[in-house]
Amino acid sequence: MHGEVDALVIGAGVSGLSTAICLQEAGLRVLVRSAQPPERSTSMMASAMIGPSFAGPGDPALGWQRETVRRLTPDTPGVRVLDGRMAARPAGMVPPGVERFEGYRPCRPEELPEGYGTAFWVRQPVVDMPPYLRHLADRFTAAGGRLVLEPVRSLDEAAEVAPLVANCAGLGAAELTGDRQLKPVRGPKIVVANPGIEHFFIEAPLGPIWAGFIPHGDRVVLGGTHRDSDDTTPDEAEAAEIIRRCAVVEPRLADAPVLEHSVGLRPGRPAPRLELEKLGRARIVHNYGHAGTGVMLSWGCAKEAADLLVS
């Protein structure tokens, strides 16, 4: 198929579509191939909040997040900027430099949730994934891109399709590359009717189970857990515990009707893989393994992936 397209992107989640758009911006003809449409990708399961990032100096995640924030303006479909609280159970657990975050202020005593020793307010972009993914897919196809629902079986096959390949296959990258560091991480998603909540809440640091909720209009997305597993069977006891922990912070959630209970698998990895390799005459960039930060790092990683391919 060389000559018909300049670049092939594997995967139609947030990483794949963002990378495809960056490649289009570089003037390339781009084809996206995926086993699932965007609305059935793992990205659809994300909450999703863009920061704040507590990565240390020199961590590339800082730059990746900044690029995402730069791209996600309030007029982007699905994107809003909200005030919310971040809290930790130990007292005095305040990350260094937090006072630089937009909207930062320590919580007053009456704003400190039960069971938490530290909490503060920040202002962050949040993304409602269904309209946002539709926006990315529409933007890509409106610019002449093609999205084909056909899985890529191997990188050798991909190299036959186009001279430039972006591997944004998420968990599917394990089969394509043999990467043993890539593991499925179970992530239940509980969506309830919004009883009038206007601010988000996130417990940090994220452990095996935590409390977190983000309002998206008439819905609130609740979380969450972090457990290595490829089981996507909804667990009612697990959901009840998530709702209970969130209701301790916001009692109105206790009786909110559950609209959705589903389970996705995050592409877990010690660190995202973002690197270039050659396969015969083709150039392949790997952009996967973002675990629960795929949306937050999406545009920064996409830009770097595209730059690696076209440089």
Side-chain angles (χ1 to χ4, degrees):
M1 191 178 287
H2 285 200
E4 296 182 30
V5 293
D6 302 310
L8 167 68
V9 176
I10 307 171
V14 68
S15 293
L17 291 173
S18 301
T19 302
I21 290 169
C22 285
L23 290 168
Q24 284 181 323
E25 291 173 345
L28 303 183
R29 297 167 298 171
V30 184
L31 167 68
V32 172
R33 276 178 52 179
S34 175
Q36 301 287 352
E39 63 271 18
R40 293 183 61 187
S41 67
T42 297
S43 300
M44 187 65 81
M45 302 290 293
S47 294
M49 188 170 70
I50 311 302
S53 174
F54 301 114
D59 190 322
L62 289 172
W64 295 336
Q65 184 214 9
R66 280 195 294 268
E67 178 64 15
T68 301
V69 171
R70 187 185 72 82
R71 293 255 191 170
L72 293 184
T73 60
D75 61 348
T76 304
V79 176
R80 292 182 302 144
V81 177
L82 293 183
D83 292 315
R85 289 174 294 172
M86 302 197 73
R89 295 188 181 274
M93 190 174 177
V94 179
V98 70
E99 66 279 355
R100 296 194 299 269
F101 294 140
E102 184 179 356
Y104 168 77
R105 72 167 175 84
C107 284
R108 296 186 291 268
E110 66 271 19
E111 296 173 326
L112 192 65
E114 179 184 345
Y116 294 86
T118 307
F120 53 86
W121 288 87
V122 290
R123 183 173 299 119
Q124 295 293 325
V126 298
V127 182
D128 190 5
M129 292 308 293
Y132 181 64
L133 282 178
R134 285 195 296 270
H135 159 70
L136 291 182
D138 291 345
R139 177 177 171 182
F140 171 68
T141 55
R146 287 195 295 135
L147 198 165
V148 176
L149 298 182
E150 181 183 358
V152 175
R153 304 297 181 183
S154 69
L155 293 181
D156 286 327
E157 177 189 345
E160 291 295 321
V161 175
L164 303 177
V165 177
N167 173 19
C168 306
L171 279 172
E175 183 176 349
L176 291 174
T177 68
D179 187 343
R180 295 186 178 182
Q181 295 188 78
L182 188 61
K183 304 290 184 183
V185 178
R186 176 184 169 89
K189 180 180 181 181
I190 314 299
V191 182
V192 301
N194 191 346
I197 295 168
E198 298 178 349
H199 304 118
F200 66 79
F201 176 86
I202 299 292
E203 176 181 347
L206 300 182
I209 186 167
W210 71 90
F213 51 84
I214 300 177
H216 293 294
D218 60 358
R219 300 169 294 116
V220 184
V221 179
L222 313 183
T225 67
H226 182 107
R227 174 161 56 92
D228 290 351
S229 172
D230 62 358
D231 182 7
T232 59
T233 305
D235 183 326
E236 294 305 322
E238 180 182 56
E241 175 61 12
I242 290 172
I243 294 171
R244 184 196 69 79
R245 290 170 70 99
C246 291
V248 169
V249 179
E250 176 45 78
R252 288 178 292 176
L253 291 171
D255 299 318
V258 175
L259 305 178
E260 177 187 344
H261 177 194
S262 52
V263 179
L265 299 178
R266 308 179 185 103
R269 200 173 185 274
R273 185 183 181 192
L274 186 50
E275 62 181 343
L276 185 71
E277 73 167 310
K278 291 187 177 182
L279 182 62
R281 295 165 59 183
R283 292 162 58 87
I284 299 175
V285 68
H286 299 284
N287 180 16
Y288 65 81
H290 302 91
T293 61
V295 181
M296 183 171 75
L297 305 181
S298 57
W299 281 111
C301 288
K303 182 179 184 303
E304 185 166 326
D307 288 346
L308 287 170
L309 274 184
V310 302
S311 61

